[in-house]
DNA sequence: TTGCGGATTTGATGCCGGTCAATCGCGGGT
DNA sequence: ACCCGCGATTGACCGGCATCAAATCCGCAA
């Protein structure tokens, strides 16, 4: 069975180095990264950008359970996932965990720390993972010189905002679960993987926290989806058998 | 009894006109506006900004129930509330309304439309209201030349993002309601009004939709808060009698 | 002032999903 | 291969909030 999350690793090993501006031969990973446009601005021989050459650096590998940054850390950079999978989570004042999001290769973590300039959450690797770290001051500066980068940043932030708004409605467990699965599939597809076969990198408890449900409800809902033939599920390996039925179920939570 | 929302109107009538760059005599309203820094960049005699003189224009007055913009409209501008109060709402694919937010004088609407460049919601005046409209392309351009404006924009967007994340947790009706009241008070205070005495400009149904509760639950919760001495409520006129108790109740939903 | 319609409050009832608890299954380490 | 332990599943039960319904309040206009 396909294991999408793991297929990324070999590719990521030959990812772009800022010191080696191998423009044309940028690896597959970078082509699908959400920050590729900012990245492309670096190392393409624009003299006025030379102070920004150190905009990006590589981080990792991290092991499952490691934190990339912690709640309360000063915000100095955003992170693009190069390989692996990550969750962000908040500990509330009573110590309860709330998962804010999951991030796949090519996606960007940390944008919600712009205000108030410190991270509102921990970022925890769900499996072995690597990252590209982008200094945010440097990126802001780049944005003032390259309107395309500024536009891209606005876009990335706005995207997260829209997603959050949807999740804050009052929806049933079925709607949330269906939308979650379809959204994951769509995001895998956007990064070049299968939209219907992938591995859930996170525990049932993480999913539950993200969707504001109990872990038992997640489990029950998935079991029912399976008995209805909507999905095939063995452990964390998932196949969406009827993605359009699921999409219809979650339509109010999905953009478009 | 103090009626904060209405006290804004007389002030707003002498608000800044772009055609009359009366720098020093900017009225009280502009001093507390969330976009004042961007506004201040305009009309302060910086020659290189001359093409941006038309960045801002006045809109209104609108009547209660009027829409400032509609779901699906192309995103070309953001709007600062000059007077009155506004809600933004989304109609889902089944036609059910979901209130996304309420906006007081000095606050900014429309930032969540940056991506995908169209408004995800209607903006509806809750009472008579006036606005300042800021062309977003012009403001983006200004941001590339004035890093302070760019920073401010990032900050405003990030602020909304943080607020959304909180509301998407699973909290009880009491927590949501208490946090809602305290947040409103804090926001009035930030704009120079009383933090403990104000008028609820929106219906119970609007509050319910915003907090993902039923209107009856909102009513019952408020009644209980009243019987516990936490608030005094007559119709839509509200006094927070024990703001710190309320703040403690809603602590997990409130920033800081 | 009176009368109307919508908003709000209050009550009765039911359901979805949370909680508690027991069992099962799988993966890792020895 | 065999445990061991945590994650996942399944069942039983319960509670908070939605829903349905009815009464009351309030603003507005004639």
């Amino acid at each position: 069975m396909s294991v999408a999350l793991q297929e990324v690793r070999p590719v990521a090993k030959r990812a772009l180095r800022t010191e080696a501006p191998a423009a044309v031969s940028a690896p597959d990973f970078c082509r699908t990264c959400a920050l590729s446009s900012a990245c492309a601005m670096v190392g393409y021989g624009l003299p006025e950008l030379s102070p920004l050459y150190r905009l990006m650096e590589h981080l990792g590998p991290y092991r499952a359970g490691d934190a990339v940054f912690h709640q309360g850390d000063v915000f100095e950079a955003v992170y693009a996932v190069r390989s692996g999978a990550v969750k962000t989570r908040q500990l509330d004042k009573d110590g309860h965990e709330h998962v804010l999001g999951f991030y796949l290769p090519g996606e960007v973590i940390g944008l919600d720390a712009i205000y108030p300039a410190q991270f509102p959450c921990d970022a925890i690797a769900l499996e072995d993972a690597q990252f590209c770290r982008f200094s945010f001051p440097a990126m802001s500066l780049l944005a003032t010189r390259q309107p395309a980068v500024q536009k891209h940043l606005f876009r990335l932030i706005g995207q997260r905002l829209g997603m959050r708004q949807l999740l804050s409605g009052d929806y049933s467990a079925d709607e949330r679960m269906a939308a979650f699965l379809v959204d994951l599939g769509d995001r895998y597809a956007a990064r070049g993987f299968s939209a219907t076969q992938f591995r859930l990198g996170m525990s049932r408890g993480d999913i539950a926290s993200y969707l504001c449900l109990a872990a038992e409800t997640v489990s029950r809902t998935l079991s029912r989806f399976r008995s209805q033939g909507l999905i095939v599920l063995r452990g964390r390996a998932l196949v969406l058998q009827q993605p359009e039925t699921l999409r219809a179920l979650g339509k109010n939570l999905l953009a478009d």
Side-chain angles (χ1 to χ4, degrees), chain A residues 8-253:
Chain A
V8 175
R9 284 191 205 138
V11 173
K13 278 181 179 151
R14 11 178 222 106
L16 178 66
R17 308 289 307 214
T18 39
E19 302 78 17
V24 181
S25 64
D28 286 354
F29 165 74
C30 288
R31 274 199 286 105
T32 60
C33 174
L35 281 176
S36 58
S37 80
C39 227
M41 299 291 173
V42 181
Y44 277 85
L46 299 174
E48 73 275 22
L49 295 182
S50 52
L52 297 173
Y53 264 86
R54 306 215 136 270
L55 177 72
M56 190 272 278
E57 58 179 314
H58 283 177
L59 245 60
Y62 289 82
R63 314 289 299 274
D66 289 349
V68 186
F69 53 76
H70 288 96
Q71 196 165 345
D73 283 358
V74 173
F75 172 63
E76 287 165 338
V78 297
Y79 301 82
V81 181
R82 289 178 57 219
S83 63
V86 188
K87 70 172 175 183
T88 54
R89 64 138 190 241
Q90 231 167 17
L91 297 182
D92 71 19
K93 294 189 174 70
D94 294 336
H96 300 117
E97 175 178 2
H98 179 205
V99 172
L100 296 180
F102 302 107
Y103 298 83
L104 310 181
E107 299 184 331
V108 179
I109 323 177
L111 287 167
D112 43 2
I114 288 180
Y115 178 84
Q118 59 181 34
F119 288 101
C121 55
D122 304 318
I124 310 287
L126 292 169
E127 51 191 279
D128 294 358
Q130 294 182 291
F131 302 88
C132 295
R133 179 185 189 277
F134 295 81
S135 155
F136 193 75
M139 187 172 269
S140 289
L141 185 55
L142 179 61
T144 63
R145 307 191 186 185
Q146 297 287 337
V149 172
Q150 176 177 286
K151 190 180 166 193
H152 201 69
L153 275 179
F154 283 144
R155 184 190 151 103
L156 280 174
I157 304 170
Q159 214 167 357
R160 291 220 57 70
L161 188 51
M163 200 170 302
R164 249 323 121 184
Q165 291 199 341
L166 291 172
L167 219 41
S168 70
D170 66 333
Y171 301 101
S172 70
D174 283 20
E175 286 177 287
R176 287 168 191 269
M177 199 67 229
F180 172 71
L181 297 179
V182 171
D183 177 57
L184 264 190
D186 287 349
R187 285 157 61 194
Y188 273 121
R191 303 302 171 197
F193 301 105
S194 166
T196 54
Q197 298 194 18
F198 48 88
R199 227 179 91 67
L200 297 169
M202 69 297 285
S203 73
R204 300 291 190 269
D206 286 338
I207 298 174
S209 172
Y210 176 65
L211 299 177
C212 298
L213 299 171
E216 293 90 334
T217 303
V218 167
S219 183
R220 271 187 260 268
T221 305
L222 287 174
S223 295
R224 190 157 30 74
F225 282 180
R226 178 169 47 194
S227 74
Q228 292 168 339
L230 301 180
I231 61 173
V232 172
L233 183 65
R234 255 190 60 83
R236 295 186 175 184
L238 178 69
V239 181
L240 306 185
Q241 287 287 35
Q242 301 183 28
E244 289 318 314
T245 307
L246 290 168
R247 192 179 299 277
L249 260 178
K251 64 180 188 300
N252 287 330
L253 272 152

